[in-house]
Amino acid sequence: MKDHPTPTVTTGPLPASRKIHVAGERHDISVPMREIALTGGPPLTVYDSSGPYTDAAARIDISHGLPRWRGAWLRARGDVGETDPRPVAPADNGFAEGARLTPEFPTRHRPLRAAGGRAVTQLAYARAGIITPEMEFVAIRENEGRAAAHSRDGEPFGAAIPDLVTPEFVRQEIAAGRAIIPANVNHPELEPVIIGRNFKVKVNANIGNSAVTSSMEDEVEKMIWAIRWGADTVMDLSTGRNIHNIREWIIRNSPVPIGTVPMYQALEKVGGVAEDLTWEIFRDTLIEQAEQGVDYFTIHAGLRLHMIPMTAKRVTGIVSRGGSIIAKWCLHHHRESFLYEHFDEICDIARAYDVSFSLGDGLRPGSIADANDEAQFAELRTLGELTKIAWEKDCQVMIEGPGHVPMHKIKENVEEQLKHCHEAPFYTLGPLTTDIAPGYDHITSAIGAAMIGWFGTAMLCYVTPKEHLGLPDRDDVKTGVITYKLAAHAADLAKGHPGARARDDALSSARFEFRWQDQFNLGLDPDTAREMHDETLPAEAHKLAHFCSMCGPKFCSMKISHDIRAEAERQQGMESMAEKFRDGGDLYIPAPEAGE
Amino acid sequence: MKDHPTPTVTTGPLPASRKIHVAGERHDISVPMREIALTGGPPLTVYDSSGPYTDAAARIDISHGLPRWRGAWLRARGDVGETDPRPVAPADNGFAEGARLTPEFPTRHRPLRAAGGRAVTQLAYARAGIITPEMEFVAIRENEGRAAAHSRDGEPFGAAIPDLVTPEFVRQEIAAGRAIIPANVNHPELEPVIIGRNFKVKVNANIGNSAVTSSMEDEVEKMIWAIRWGADTVMDLSTGRNIHNIREWIIRNSPVPIGTVPMYQALEKVGGVAEDLTWEIFRDTLIEQAEQGVDYFTIHAGLRLHMIPMTAKRVTGIVSRGGSIIAKWCLHHHRESFLYEHFDEICDIARAYDVSFSLGDGLRPGSIADANDEAQFAELRTLGELTKIAWEKDCQVMIEGPGHVPMHKIKENVEEQLKHCHEAPFYTLGPLTTDIAPGYDHITSAIGAAMIGWFGTAMLCYVTPKEHLGLPDRDDVKTGVITYKLAAHAADLAKGHPGARARDDALSSARFEFRWQDQFNLGLDPDTAREMHDETLPAEAHKLAHFCSMCGPKFCSMKISHDIRAEAERQQGMESMAEKFRDGGDLYIPAPEAGE
């Protein structure tokens, strides 16, 4: 690192916000949340995935990484031990050398793994009746400081979200396979998060360099930037050189679960020639990444040889990168993939580090024309079979879903997934509801994401405006995250989540009372809201004005609404008027204008 | 105009596009469409609302206005005559003088109105069994050059969209009140458009200056800009000074129907004091605007005195500008509004010019908390009563709807509207599905708009990113229109519209075949898509590349899909493989590698 100055990353609280911590009752844990101060009324506490970067008291140095505070929980369980790390090979970084080699992360930590073949997964603990610190952490976190349910109504489609989440409820959900806490024992920097249908809908942001562009500094900043705006997990989809070293920097600085598609790195190791992949190379890559602390692996083991011809008549063939790679391998070697054949062994690795599975949908549709076809649902049923195998090994599982799906075919996806995958959490990419808007696919997909989240998807993988067009930059990452946060929140509202409406109501009250600053600060993106308001009414005084440039003072309906209420109060109180007028029927007879 | 240079506006075709015209069979009409040339395969013809501005052959001078080509149809009907125009009063322009007065449009046309009290509405003609040129025009337009249905499936929720729209079908739908063609006899520049549940979902864009900002030049350009990107109608919501003159400039240059809320101008005429409004001032304003050629009026006649107290406990009170104004009037005077009491006379005016009604939802919810409440649905039922009155007078009607509605309460809005308003077309603003994302309300509302369009809403009123924050500028207008076009298209797809998927399939095929230029040009916003691609791969050669910067060459799933298809063909043809593998079941036995 001598020649590399420590990169600076975005830090500091969001506007009017401070980090608060809620202590555990069972365990010595401290759950961070964000408190938004309001000019009118008590502060609002909201879920906070941003980690120490938004804590004014935190000292951030990404060359040190985040505090490894979860280490104490891991040691206390006494079921893991340090092992000699797998040596880093030149192939792990794509044979990058000299100035082209991303420097190693300065500190090497010895990896942990299960001692004596034990299952060290949250699923194993849950089944054994153990409430881990991770479980209590997420229980507190999901409640967002609430002591009771807020106003709730909704259509949950079979989801059963309690008014308040208890650690025991978390344990039961994990034991049933309906939720997961991706939490590799080698990721002690983690602030645990739960993914399941009976919890808040989560959002994943993809980052990662490609062979064509970007660097370690960019990717670490993208991760921090993505969680600042609310990403609950981050997938590092790097390809090209330096994959190993970039990933290490990301994980050591990430408070959120990191997911990967190990196939990408494996393919780099064989020079991009899919046919040259072997189980041994793949297996070695899994261990490499598990030792680094990757929290969940996308594994495309559900794509079987006999399904490939089902894609022959598709408009867009196979659009999953991992799926297309393994399909090519299968077809070339004319046999089932090593992912499918060695899935048992893959589970053994995952169980030793508690890497969760995200069973990949290699045959997801890449266009409206291909939605819900034979190939897609054939693979889904195999993912259900693999789920049972993973569960037998005490591994945590979620299931990936599409993709491109018109609105009328979205619900079937959730119903089929729940049925064939035994209620394992569903994790979908969008879906995009039309193909005709490149440049706006964050929106075509937010429509589908909100709906599929409502129907029961546990986590939504974001789509940025650059989808189909290029590698997203920092602005695209933010736009993608905010878009998906609002979609996830719309889903929570529609499901009747007991806490969701508190923020809507607080913001709408601020709007009605012309508390502009509160309106900005309660929004998902206070900076953009404030900038937009500033464009036409920049003066500070206008932040107290009882109108905006959209309608101007005379035409502000909210201002007039206040006048109406004042007038009604003056006349006799709206409540009693309501009683009086209720019998009014068609022909209202004006009351005598006494007293006017 | 001597001191004012003619403003320049945006003209010229969209990329790779040209204007084509389809001739009528019954009438001497010529229906414009847009043909998109492709580098691979035949061109695609799409609906085109952009008017002559995108016709390379058109000569545009906004001080002349568009050709008044519909005049011949009007004269041929022989049921309208020229009248002396209502004199323009200083109050019509808010007493603007000198340099602050927007210049008059250079040409004064004598207004037309019905001769001898006749109904000159499309509804009256439809009921009389007459297929007007307007009806044939929209029939041809809806078919987009198709000779048959494209691949269709969907869930129409009771909509009945034919494979091909015939003029007679249009007539029947209008006669039944299920569709309208807003077409004032004083708007001969119009290219007619049909709004109804059994036609393509339409999009309205709001423009208009406010007392705080903007000018005539800005507003004319915003109108032209909005229709360039696909707005089907435009509402001029101007307030402040110069309303009359700005509107004249807009209508004389608009090929799309123009809607207004006459209450806004009436309020300006009484200096912004709602209590001082009178029926006489309002009536005079209706005639003023009808003579100019406004195609539809938003009238908030459904808001009745006894409903006002129902808003007392709302989080955001009354959020409709027109609604709040009339509510204030009602409460002050303690009587039913002159809109309600004089609705008969309002119909008589509308019928003499064929101004359609957009019955306003003055009590729409302005927050998630207020959705689907007593006030909202009470007003909706009154709108249903007014619909019947308007229909008795042969007036065309659509019904406005919310607003802010969480996803699980959207469908009820359509069901209630269909039931209580007798299937008159529904025209909704969004709805926004959460309140927590100021700056992104085009997206919170696109989710709701796509869904409500699917359920049966005929036209979606756009929301821009500036909603709740300020007056939208040109960029916001474009973002709002594109966002709503994609939402409307997603709705068409889900309804099973017989033509909708053609564009998705064409674009997805272009994507799969690496025809980048076609992919951009088939999108709703070719410029943005191209710019985004250029950001990382600017070279022209990359527009032919079989990869993009998102995944790079080795990880392009589509490239690999092509390899897979080639490999499969080489081996034995995927189709026969499909047969062979279909029996594969769980245990696939590799075929002997003969020939390899």
Side-chain angles (χ1 to χ4, degrees):
Chain A
M1 279 300 289
K2 290 186 188 69
D3 301 335
H4 286 75
T6 300
T8 55
V9 294
T10 304
T11 59
L14 289 172
S17 298
R18 70 184 184 103
K19 186 82 69 179
I20 62 169
H21 291 87
V22 179
E25 292 182 4
R26 295 168 165 270
H27 297 282
D28 179 21
I29 60 176
S30 171
V31 182
M33 298 183 190
R34 175 179 158 215
E35 189 183 81
I36 306 172
L38 302 180
T39 63
L44 185 78
T45 300
V46 297
Y47 197 99
D48 184 2
S49 63
S50 61
Y53 302 100
T54 52
D55 188 345
R59 293 185 56 183
I60 301 297
D61 177 351
I62 71 160
S63 67
H64 281 87
L66 294 177
R68 296 166 68 81
W69 59 297
R70 192 174 150 240
W73 311 352
L74 297 162
R75 285 188 296 275
R77 284 200 278 265
D79 53 4
V80 289
E82 291 186 1
T83 60
D84 290 328
R86 168 193 168 283
V88 177
D92 299 349
N93 284 304
F95 302 98
E97 290 180 318
R100 299 186 66 178
L101 177 66
T102 298
E104 271 188 60
F105 185 76
T107 312
R108 286 198 192 175
H109 300 285
R110 283 174 64 79
L112 300 178
R113 64 170 284 148
R118 292 173 66 175
V120 296
T121 67
Q122 297 291 321
L123 176 54
Y125 303 136
R127 283 172 166 175
I130 298 166
I131 293 174
T132 62
E134 288 86 348
M135 294 176 199
E136 188 183 15
F137 188 103
V138 300
I140 294 169
R141 197 171 197 188
E142 289 283 319
N143 293 331
E144 299 175 279
R146 263 181 297 117
H150 191 76
S151 179
R152 68 184 292 192
D153 59 13
E155 166 52 64
F157 295 112
I161 309 171
D163 281 355
L164 286 173
V165 174
T166 62
E168 170 59 16
F169 179 77
V170 169
R171 188 198 64 74
Q172 289 171 10
E173 288 291 297
I174 293 173
R178 272 195 300 271
I180 66 172
I181 299 179
N184 187 322
V185 296
N186 290 308
H187 191 189
E189 301 88 353
L190 183 74
E191 296 174 359
V193 54
I194 191 159
I195 300 166
R197 185 159 60 119
N198 293 325
F199 301 94
K200 282 170 69 75
V201 175
K202 303 304 189 296
V203 169
N204 172 70
N206 292 334
I207 62 167
N209 73 336
S210 82
V212 178
T213 181
S214 83
S215 69
M216 177 276 281
E217 289 82 352
D218 289 349
E219 299 312 316
V220 172
E221 169 64 9
K222 269 189 208 168
M223 177 274 290
I224 293 170
W225 188 240
I227 64 176
R228 181 177 184 85
W229 300 112
D232 294 287
T233 78
V234 167
M235 290 195 78
D236 173 17
L237 302 185
S238 291
T239 57
R241 297 170 193 272
N242 292 310
I243 295 184
H244 181 96
N245 285 2
I246 291 177
R247 187 170 51 232
E248 185 75 22
W249 280 91
I250 291 171
I251 296 172
R252 297 287 74 80
N253 285 286
S254 175
V256 303
I258 297 294
T260 63
V261 186
M263 181 63 76
Y264 295 176
Q265 189 178 14
L267 185 68
E268 292 288 358
K269 291 179 181 178
V270 294
V273 182
E275 303 88 295
D276 292 352
L277 284 164
T278 64
W279 161 240
E280 289 69 28
I281 289 169
F282 188 77
R283 181 182 173 282
D284 181 59
T285 305
L286 294 182
I287 292 170
E288 172 189 352
Q289 298 196 9
E291 288 187 353
Q292 285 186 297
V294 169
D295 299 290
Y296 63 93
F297 286 155
T298 291
I299 306 279
H300 295 94
L303 195 163
R304 299 193 53 197
L305 182 59
H306 71 276
M307 299 168 189
I308 299 171
M310 295 175 188
T311 68
K313 287 190 173 166
R314 279 183 157 187
V315 170
T316 45
I318 299 175
V319 297
S320 151
R321 287 196 267 176
S324 66
I325 293 163
I326 205 64
K328 193 174 183 190
W329 188 94
C330 289
L331 206 58
H332 181 85
H333 294 284
H334 231 253
R335 57 183 295 181
E336 293 293 350
S337 82
F338 50 83
L339 302 176
Y340 183 76
E341 292 191 335
H342 292 273
F343 191 68
D344 250 30
E345 290 163 81
I346 295 172
C347 292
D348 290 335
I349 295 169
R351 139 192 188 102
Y353 303 91
D354 199 7
V355 181
S356 298
F357 287 125
S358 182
L359 294 180
D361 56 338
L363 296 179
R364 70 170 171 268
S367 55
I368 293 297
D370 296 344
N372 294 24
D373 72 353
E374 180 191 20
Q376 182 193 333
F377 285 144
E379 184 187 39
L380 184 69
R381 283 187 288 273
T382 306
L383 297 183
E385 295 166 22
L386 297 172
T387 298
K388 292 222 157 174
I389 294 171
W391 282 350
E392 280 168 26
K393 297 271 189 175
D394 287 323
C395 293
Q396 302 190 88
V397 180
M398 59 182 169
I399 309 292
E400 295 186 8
H404 292 239
V405 185
M407 284 190 286
H408 64 293
K409 293 184 177 174
I410 291 177
K411 196 153 190 292
E412 184 184 12
N413 276 276
V414 179
E415 290 165 350
E416 290 292 303
Q417 191 271 344
L418 287 171
K419 181 170 142 198
H420 293 294
C421 298
H422 326 292
E423 298 194 75
F426 203 21
Y427 166 33
T428 63
L429 176 70
L432 286 72
T433 54
T434 167
D435 303 337
I436 70 165
Y440 299 80
D441 279 331
H442 58 310
I443 306 178
T444 63
S445 67
I447 294 167
M451 291 175 70
I452 208 164
W454 175 24
F455 299 148
T457 291
M459 184 157 76
L460 307 170
C461 182
Y462 86 170
V463 171
T464 79
K466 286 276 173 62
E467 184 74 13
H468 300 118
L469 298 170
L471 196 70
D473 63 17
R474 202 166 169 273
D475 289 344
D476 299 318
V477 166
K478 178 174 174 181
T479 301
V481 171
I482 300 277
T483 300
Y484 270 66
K485 287 302 280 187
L486 72 86
H489 186 80
D492 283 338
L493 282 174
K495 286 170 84 172
H497 187 284
R501 236 185 69 186
R503 192 164 178 176
D504 295 79
D505 290 357
L507 196 146
S508 290
S509 293
R511 184 170 279 156
F512 191 63
E513 293 165 11
F514 299 102
R515 289 184 275 116
W516 288 98
Q517 300 292 0
D518 291 351
Q519 189 184 153
F520 305 149
N521 294 336
L522 284 162
L524 290 177
D525 180 0
D527 300 342
T528 297
R530 187 172 283 105
E531 280 162 22
M532 285 187 177
H533 189 264
D534 281 353
E535 274 181 41
T536 46
L537 293 174
E540 202 50 38
H542 284 133
K543 299 294 182 287
L544 301 171
H546 281 203
F547 63 90
C548 76
S549 70
M550 194 164 177
C551 306
K554 275 189 295 198
F555 285 90
C556 178
S557 61
M558 294 210 175
K559 179 175 181 300
I560 297 172
S561 278
H562 286 281
D563 296 345
I564 289 169
R565 289 193 182 178
E567 172 76 12
E569 291 301 324
R570 198 181 63 74
Q571 285 185 15
Q572 49 192 291
M574 281 179 107
E575 281 312 291
S576 59
M577 284 175 70
E579 286 307 314
K580 186 163 175 186
F581 294 168
R582 204 149 278 149
D583 310 319
D586 270 350
L587 200 67
Y588 173 74
I589 297 148
E593 302 196 355
E596 288 196 43
Chain B
M1 281 299 289
K2 289 185 190 71
D3 300 335
H4 286 73
T6 300
T8 53
V9 294
T10 304
T11 58
L14 289 172
S17 298
R18 71 186 184 102
K19 186 82 71 180
I20 61 168
H21 292 86
V22 179
E25 293 183 2
R26 295 167 164 270
H27 297 282
D28 180 20
I29 59 175
S30 172
V31 182
M33 299 182 189
R34 176 179 157 215
E35 189 183 83
I36 306 172
L38 302 180
T39 63
L44 186 79
T45 301
V46 297
Y47 197 99
D48 184 1
S49 64
S50 61
Y53 302 101
T54 52
D55 187 344
R59 293 185 55 184
I60 301 298
D61 177 352
I62 72 160
S63 67
H64 281 87
L66 293 178
R68 296 166 67 81
W69 59 296
R70 191 174 150 241
W73 310 353
L74 296 161
R75 284 189 297 275
R77 285 201 278 263
D79 52 3
V80 290
E82 291 185 1
T83 60
D84 290 331
R86 169 193 168 283
V88 177
D92 299 349
N93 284 304
F95 303 98
E97 289 180 319
R100 299 186 66 177
L101 178 66
T102 297
E104 271 188 60
F105 185 76
T107 311
R108 287 200 189 174
H109 300 284
R110 284 175 62 79
L112 300 178
R113 64 170 283 150
R118 294 173 65 175
V120 297
T121 67
Q122 297 292 321
L123 177 54
Y125 302 136
R127 283 172 165 175
I130 298 166
I131 293 174
T132 62
E134 288 86 348
M135 295 176 200
E136 188 183 16
F137 188 102
V138 300
I140 293 169
R141 197 172 198 187
E142 288 284 318
N143 293 331
E144 300 175 278
R146 260 181 300 119
H150 191 76
S151 180
R152 67 184 292 190
D153 59 13
E155 167 51 66
F157 296 112
I161 309 171
D163 281 354
L164 285 172
V165 174
T166 62
E168 171 59 16
F169 180 76
V170 169
R171 188 197 65 74
Q172 289 171 10
E173 288 291 298
I174 293 174
R178 272 195 301 270
I180 66 172
I181 298 179
N184 186 321
V185 296
N186 290 308
H187 191 189
E189 301 87 353
L190 183 74
E191 295 173 359
V193 54
I194 190 158
I195 299 166
R197 185 159 60 121
N198 293 325
F199 301 94
K200 280 170 70 78
V201 175
K202 303 302 189 296
V203 169
N204 172 70
N206 292 334
I207 62 167
N209 72 337
S210 82
V212 178
T213 180
S214 82
S215 70
M216 177 277 280
E217 289 82 353
D218 290 348
E219 298 312 316
V220 172
E221 169 63 10
K222 268 189 208 167
M223 179 273 290
I224 293 170
W225 188 240
I227 64 175
R228 182 178 184 84
W229 300 113
D232 294 288
T233 79
V234 167
M235 291 196 78
D236 173 17
L237 302 185
S238 290
T239 58
R241 298 169 193 271
N242 293 309
I243 295 184
H244 181 95
N245 286 1
I246 291 176
R247 187 169 51 232
E248 186 74 21
W249 280 90
I250 291 171
I251 296 172
R252 297 288 73 80
N253 286 286
S254 175
V256 303
I258 297 295
T260 63
V261 186
M263 181 63 77
Y264 296 175
Q265 188 178 14
L267 185 67
E268 292 288 356
K269 290 179 181 177
V270 295
V273 182
E275 304 87 296
D276 292 351
L277 284 164
T278 64
W279 160 241
E280 288 69 27
I281 289 169
F282 188 77
R283 181 181 174 283
D284 181 58
T285 305
L286 293 182
I287 292 170
E288 173 189 352
Q289 298 197 9
E291 288 187 351
Q292 286 186 296
V294 170
D295 299 290
Y296 62 93
F297 287 154
T298 291
I299 305 280
H300 295 95
L303 195 163
R304 297 192 54 196
L305 182 58
H306 71 275
M307 300 170 189
I308 299 170
M310 297 176 188
T311 68
K313 288 191 171 164
R314 279 183 158 187
V315 170
T316 45
I318 299 176
V319 297
S320 150
R321 285 196 268 176
S324 65
I325 293 163
I326 205 64
K328 192 174 183 189
W329 188 95
C330 290
L331 206 60
H332 181 87
H333 294 284
H334 230 253
R335 57 184 295 184
E336 293 292 350
S337 82
F338 50 81
L339 302 176
Y340 182 75
E341 292 191 334
H342 293 272
F343 191 68
D344 250 28
E345 290 163 80
I346 294 172
C347 291
D348 289 336
I349 295 169
R351 144 193 185 101
Y353 302 90
D354 200 5
V355 181
S356 297
F357 288 125
S358 182
L359 295 180
D361 56 337
L363 296 179
R364 69 169 171 269
S367 55
I368 293 298
D370 297 344
N372 294 23
D373 71 354
E374 181 191 21
Q376 182 193 334
F377 284 144
E379 184 187 37
L380 184 69
R381 283 187 288 273
T382 306
L383 297 183
E385 295 167 19
L386 297 172
T387 298
K388 291 221 157 173
I389 294 170
W391 282 351
E392 282 167 24
K393 297 269 189 176
D394 287 324
C395 292
Q396 302 190 89
V397 180
M398 59 181 169
I399 308 291
E400 294 186 9
H404 292 237
V405 185
M407 283 190 287
H408 65 292
K409 293 184 177 174
I410 291 177
K411 198 154 189 292
E412 184 184 12
N413 276 277
V414 180
E415 290 164 351
E416 291 292 303
Q417 191 271 343
L418 287 171
K419 181 171 142 197
H420 294 294
C421 298
H422 326 293
E423 297 194 77
F426 203 21
Y427 167 33
T428 62
L429 176 70
L432 286 72
T433 53
T434 168
D435 303 337
I436 69 165
Y440 299 80
D441 279 332
H442 58 309
I443 306 178
T444 64
S445 67
I447 294 167
M451 291 175 70
I452 208 164
W454 176 25
F455 300 149
T457 291
M459 184 158 76
L460 307 170
C461 183
Y462 87 170
V463 171
T464 79
K466 287 275 173 61
E467 184 75 15
H468 300 118
L469 298 170
L471 195 69
D473 63 17
R474 202 165 170 275
D475 288 343
D476 299 316
V477 166
K478 178 175 174 181
T479 302
V481 171
I482 300 277
T483 300
Y484 270 66
K485 288 301 281 188
L486 73 84
H489 187 78
D492 283 338
L493 282 175
K495 285 170 85 171
H497 187 284
R501 236 186 69 186
R503 192 164 179 176
D504 295 79
D505 290 356
L507 196 145
S508 291
S509 293
R511 183 170 280 155
F512 191 63
E513 293 166 10
F514 299 102
R515 290 184 274 117
W516 288 97
Q517 300 292 359
D518 291 350
Q519 188 184 155
F520 305 150
N521 295 335
L522 284 164
L524 290 176
D525 179 0
D527 300 343
T528 297
R530 187 173 283 106
E531 281 161 21
M532 285 187 177
H533 189 265
D534 281 352
E535 275 181 40
T536 45
L537 292 174
E540 201 50 37
H542 284 133
K543 300 295 183 288
L544 302 171
H546 282 204
F547 64 90
C548 78
S549 70
M550 193 164 178
C551 306
K554 275 188 295 198
F555 285 90
C556 178
S557 61
M558 295 212 176
K559 180 173 179 300
I560 298 171
S561 278
H562 286 281
D563 295 346
I564 289 170
R565 289 192 182 179
E567 172 77 13
E569 291 301 324
R570 198 181 60 76
Q571 284 185 16
Q572 48 193 292
M574 281 179 107
E575 281 311 291
S576 60
M577 283 176 69
E579 285 308 311
K580 187 165 175 185
F581 293 167
R582 204 148 278 148
D583 310 318
D586 270 351
L587 199 67
Y588 172 74
I589 298 148
E593 302 198 356
E596 287 195 42

